[in-house]
Amino acid sequence: MTSSNASTRASDVLVRPFSLGGLDLPNRIVMAPMTREFSPGGVPGADVAAYYARRAAGGVGLIITEGTYVDHASAGTSDRVPRFHGADALAGWTAVAEAVHAAGGAIMPQLWHVGMTRAAGAPPIADAPRVGPSGIPLSGSAQGHTMTLSDIDDVIAAFTTAAAAAEACGFDGIELHGAHGYLIDQFLWSHTNRRDDSYGGDITSRTRFATEIVAACRKAVSPDFPILFRMSQWKSDHYQARLAESPAELEAFLTPLAAAGVDAFHCSTRRFWLPEFEGSELNLAGWAKKLTGKATISVGSVGLDNEFIEVFQGRTGRVSDITGLLERMERDEFDLIAIGRALLNDPLWADKILHGRTNELTPIGPHKFATLR
C-alpha cells in the first residue's frame, strides 16, 4: 500500500464522527489518561490547561484527563496529582475545560481513588489510612483498613459529588477509574476482595460497589451526560491477573455496570492487538462491545513497536504502523482508540496520522515523561 493510500485509509477510518450520550465526537481518537504530577497542591494551573489544549488543537477527538482524586481522605497518595474537589482545584479544572473547548476538543476527567495502593503516611492527607474492600494489598506490603458499610457510602458519595462537579465545570462527561488495581478494581478482583457480605463473593457480587457508584453518578448528572468506565484484567505489577477467565464471566461482570448507566467501557490492555480469550480474535474491548452492546474504547501500546511498560521503563519506542488497528476499526470491533505514550510525547500525533505526515512522528526516547508539557 502506498503512503498516500495508507493516509487516506487512516483518515477514512479514524475521521468518522461518533456519539457518546449527548456528546458528538469529530473522530475516533482518544487521549488516554496519564498521571504526570504537575499540579502542586492538587490544583491544575495554566500549564495543565495548555498541555491538554495542545492535544485538542492537534486533532484529538476526546481527551480523558489524568486521574483526579475524589474528596475522600484516603483517595490519594501524592500532593502533585490533581484533585477534583475544593474551590481552587475546580476553578483550575474549569479553566482546563474552557481551554480544550476553545481548541476544538472535548474533555472528561478521570475520577480516581487509589485504595490500598496508597503509601502509608503519604500526602495529601498524611494520617489517612490505606483502605480497601478487605484491607488486602495487591502485593505483600502492610495490611490496611477494611472498609465498613459507612466507608463504602462515603466513597460512593465522593464519586457522586465529583461527577456533579464535572458537569458544573463544563466537562463533557466523566470516566470512573475501575482498572489497574485501584480501589474500584480492588472490589472487583477476588485476590483483594475477600468480603463475606453483599459486596463480596462471586464476580457479580464483587461488582456491587462499582455498580452503585455508576448508578449514583448517573442520578447526579444529566441523562445524556456520558459516563465511561475504565476496566482492566491486569493490575499494577500483576500483569497476569484476570477478573474474567471466560466470556461468560466477563458478561457477568459487565452486565450490571451497563444496566447501572455506563455509556462506554474503556478497556485497558498492554497490547491492544492480542485476543482476550481462546477461540476468537476479539480483544477485551471487542468482547465488551459484543457482550453489552455498549460503546467501547480500546487501548494498549498503539503506535509503538514495543509495549508501553517497556517504554515507561526507559526503552526507546519507535513508531510502528497502525495497519492492524485500522483493520480492527474497519470491522467495528471497537469504536474508539485511546493513545497514551505516543500522544504524550507528540501533541500532534493525531494530526500527523490523519494527514499522512507519519514521517514527522516523534519516537519516544527514554526518561522523558517527567518533563513533557
Side-chain angles (χ1 to χ4, degrees), residues 138-152:
L138 274 66
S139 57
S141 55
Q143 297 289 304
H145 169 70
T146 297
M147 293 173 67
T148 66
L149 295 181
S150 178
D151 293 330
I152 287 173

Side-chain angles (χ1 to χ4, degrees), residues 299-356:
V299 67
S301 303
V302 177
L304 302 178
D305 68 349
N306 50 338
E307 68 173 75
F308 74 91
I309 292 295
E310 294 172 344
V311 175
F312 184 74
Q313 292 172 342
R315 288 182 53 186
T316 297
R318 295 171 297 278
V319 175
S320 63
D321 83 38
I322 59 169
T323 301
L325 169 65
L326 299 179
E327 290 173 351
R328 287 173 179 267
M329 297 194 75
E330 281 173 335
R331 58 179 182 260
D332 291 324
E333 179 178 338
F334 42 82
D335 302 292
L336 301 163
I337 187 66
I339 313 300
R341 305 294 169 182
L343 187 55
L344 180 67
N345 186 60
D346 189 345
L348 297 177
W349 187 92
D351 186 74
K352 292 173 182 178
I353 288 289
L354 296 175
H355 295 97

Side-chain angles (χ1 to χ4, degrees), residues 54-107:
R54 275 193 290 274
R55 275 73 187 172
V60 174
L62 171 63
I63 291 170
I64 302 173
T65 75
E66 61 212 283
T68 69
Y69 298 148
V70 297
D71 189 8
H72 185 262
S74 300
T77 194
S78 168
D79 60 359
R80 294 185 60 83
V81 168
R83 48 186 160 84
F84 213 83
H85 60 89
D88 51 354
L90 294 180
W93 281 120
T94 298
V96 171
E98 290 172 349
V100 168
H101 291 154
I107 185 168

Side-chain angles (χ1 to χ4, degrees), residues 25-252:
L25 300 175
N27 62 50
R28 304 300 181 99
I29 298 176
V30 177
M31 180 176 180
M34 291 168 287
T35 297
R36 299 187 309 140
E37 297 192 89
F38 278 8
S39 298
V43 179
D47 60 322
V48 176
Y51 163 77
Y52 286 117
R54 275 193 290 274
R55 275 73 187 172
V60 174
L62 171 63
I63 291 170
I64 302 173
T65 75
E66 61 212 283
T68 69
Y69 298 148
V70 297
D71 189 8
H72 185 262
S74 300
T77 194
S78 168
D79 60 359
R80 294 185 60 83
V81 168
R83 48 186 160 84
F84 213 83
H85 60 89
D88 51 354
L90 294 180
W93 281 120
T94 298
V96 171
E98 290 172 349
V100 168
H101 291 154
I107 185 168
M108 302 181 183
Q110 186 187 72
L111 306 181
W112 189 22
H113 191 304
V114 304
M116 288 296 299
T117 67
R118 170 177 162 74
I125 301 176
D127 60 355
R130 305 166 77 220
V131 303
S134 303
I136 298 172
L138 274 66
S139 57
S141 55
Q143 297 289 304
H145 169 70
T146 297
M147 293 173 67
T148 66
L149 295 181
S150 178
D151 293 330
I152 287 173
D153 290 343
D154 289 345
V155 172
I156 292 172
F159 274 98
T160 306
T161 300
E167 186 169 26
C169 288
F171 281 84
D172 300 294
I174 59 168
E175 177 169 281
L176 302 172
H177 197 342
H180 305 162
Y182 297 112
L183 181 63
I184 293 175
D185 198 17
Q186 289 161 24
F187 272 84
L188 299 173
W189 193 26
S190 60
H191 176 77
T192 46
N193 186 346
R194 311 286 178 83
R195 299 177 73 97
D196 57 8
D197 62 4
S198 59
Y199 289 93
D202 64 21
I203 192 167
T204 302
S205 298
R206 297 195 306 272
T207 306
R208 180 180 174 183
F209 178 64
T211 299
E212 290 185 353
I213 290 174
V214 172
C217 290
R218 181 78 277 161
K219 291 180 181 178
V221 298
S222 300
D224 62 351
F225 191 71
I227 295 177
L228 278 54
F229 189 91
R230 197 173 210 213
M231 57 85 62
S232 69
Q233 298 263 42
W234 67 276
K235 321 301 172 196
S236 299
D237 296 325
H238 291 74
Y239 300 124
Q240 303 307 313
R242 296 180 71 80
L243 296 176
E245 295 289 350
S246 67
E249 288 187 352
L250 185 64
E251 185 174 22

